[in-house]
Amino acid sequence: QLVAYEVKRMHAEEGNKQKILRHIKELAEKLYKNENPYPAVTMHKVQKPTEGCHLRLHQKPFPRLDEGTVQWIIDQATAKLQTAPPAVKAEKKCMVPSGPPIAAIMERNGNALANSARRLEVVRNCISYVFENKMLEAKKLFPAVLRAMKGRAARHCLTQELNLHVQQNRAVLDHQQFDFIIRMMNCCLQDCTAMDEHGIAAALLPLVTAFCRKLSPGITQFAYSCVQEHV
């Protein structure tokens, strides 16, 4: 039904988080109702008497209950329950039109995936140039890399690539390399959201304690000293 009826709505919602969240909420409610068709049985609350009520005058005595009448009401309710049909939700079968061809959706996603792949390639190439000391090439790609950091995939790619270089014992950098890596890390952390805290930011933690540069004999500066201001 989503594919058949809601594609236009989904197109209209793209880029608007509030609308998307409202739509997801509506869907969630529908799915929940589908799984839980019967409402929970409500318990009748008996109110407690108010404080000092026993001191009131003109209190009516509670009427005597007729045992026969009470039993008759209970018997009637029991009989009704026994003759009632089982409460099963009747399935409504309906034809759902096929909606737009899948190719149209795939094509749209395909372009996005191609763009994403290009961005990741730029990030990888730039990091490779930095570690190969091809600083002119790295400088050319650098603005594109910083723009790419807006996407989570690129931030994730940065942590993976840097991790590979740490494993290859390439953590001690010269001043220019250090500057490039720090700027990438800062940009990555700046664009991180609360959702990235246990993913991207956590993946950067061991890296910022690994990458360093020698300032003078016996004095080493680690990357965390330059990125530790981020929330």
Side-chain angles (χ1 to χ4, degrees), residues 194-214:
M195 289 165 76
D196 295 320
E197 187 177 335
H198 304 293
I200 311 293
L204 273 176
L205 271 177
L207 298 174
V208 296
T209 57
F211 285 108
C212 60
R213 64 173 166 181
K214 298 271 185 242

Side-chain angles (χ1 to χ4, degrees), residues 2-222:
L2 271 178
V3 173
Y5 301 128
E6 310 259 341
V7 171
K8 279 183 185 171
R9 180 177 172 180
M10 285 165 142
H11 280 309
E13 284 173 355
E14 272 180 7
N16 188 330
K17 280 187 182 174
Q18 266 79 27
K19 281 185 179 174
I20 292 170
L21 283 171
R22 200 183 313 133
H23 192 182
I24 291 170
K25 220 172 192 177
E26 285 169 20
L27 277 177
E29 278 172 19
K30 279 183 194 172
L31 290 168
Y32 182 79
K33 279 177 187 167
N34 189 55
E35 295 294 322
N36 306 279
Y38 309 113
V41 178
T42 52
M43 299 295 287
H44 293 293
K45 287 183 181 175
V46 179
Q47 288 187 330
K48 285 184 178 178
T50 55
E51 281 181 31
C53 66
H54 61 284
L55 302 172
R56 282 189 206 142
L57 299 171
H58 316 300
Q59 284 209 50
K60 288 183 183 177
F62 193 81
R64 280 188 68 79
L65 297 179
D66 177 28
E67 198 178 329
T69 311
V70 172
Q71 193 56 51
W72 177 76
I73 292 168
I74 292 170
D75 292 343
Q76 271 204 324
T78 311
K80 258 187 195 173
L81 281 173
Q82 282 170 351
T83 54
V88 177
K89 194 182 175 191
E91 272 191 34
K92 287 181 187 172
K93 293 184 179 177
C94 61
M95 286 295 290
V96 177
S98 59
I102 295 292
I105 298 166
M106 289 301 285
E107 201 174 291
R108 192 163 56 88
N109 288 349
N111 292 338
L113 285 171
N115 285 339
S116 179
R118 275 199 294 276
R119 283 197 198 107
L120 299 189
E121 196 56 38
V122 167
V123 173
R124 286 193 192 99
N125 287 344
C126 186
I127 293 169
S128 295
Y129 290 147
V130 169
F131 282 96
E132 287 162 17
N133 258 323
K134 296 178 179 174
M135 291 308 175
L136 204 62
E137 278 87 347
K139 250 180 198 166
K140 286 176 192 169
L141 294 182
F142 204 64
V145 170
L146 298 188
R147 276 198 304 275
M149 286 299 144
K150 296 262 181 258
R152 182 177 292 169
R155 297 198 288 271
H156 189 61
C157 176
L158 175 77
T159 61
Q160 285 180 318
E161 289 297 305
L162 292 179
N163 194 37
L164 288 174
H165 288 289
V166 168
Q167 286 168 4
Q168 292 165 11
N169 292 329
R170 298 168 79 179
V172 182
L173 311 170
D174 68 24
H175 295 306
Q176 211 172 1
Q177 287 173 322
F178 189 80
D179 184 49
F180 268 95
I181 297 302
I182 290 298
R183 282 168 71 189
M184 282 187 206
M185 283 178 170
N186 268 322
C187 189
C188 174
L189 286 168
Q190 185 182 317
D191 289 315
C192 276
T193 62
M195 289 165 76
D196 295 320
E197 187 177 335
H198 304 293
I200 311 293
L204 273 176
L205 271 177
L207 298 174
V208 296
T209 57
F211 285 108
C212 60
R213 64 173 166 181
K214 298 271 185 242
L215 293 178
S216 65
I219 296 176
T220 306
Q221 182 188 16
F222 284 89

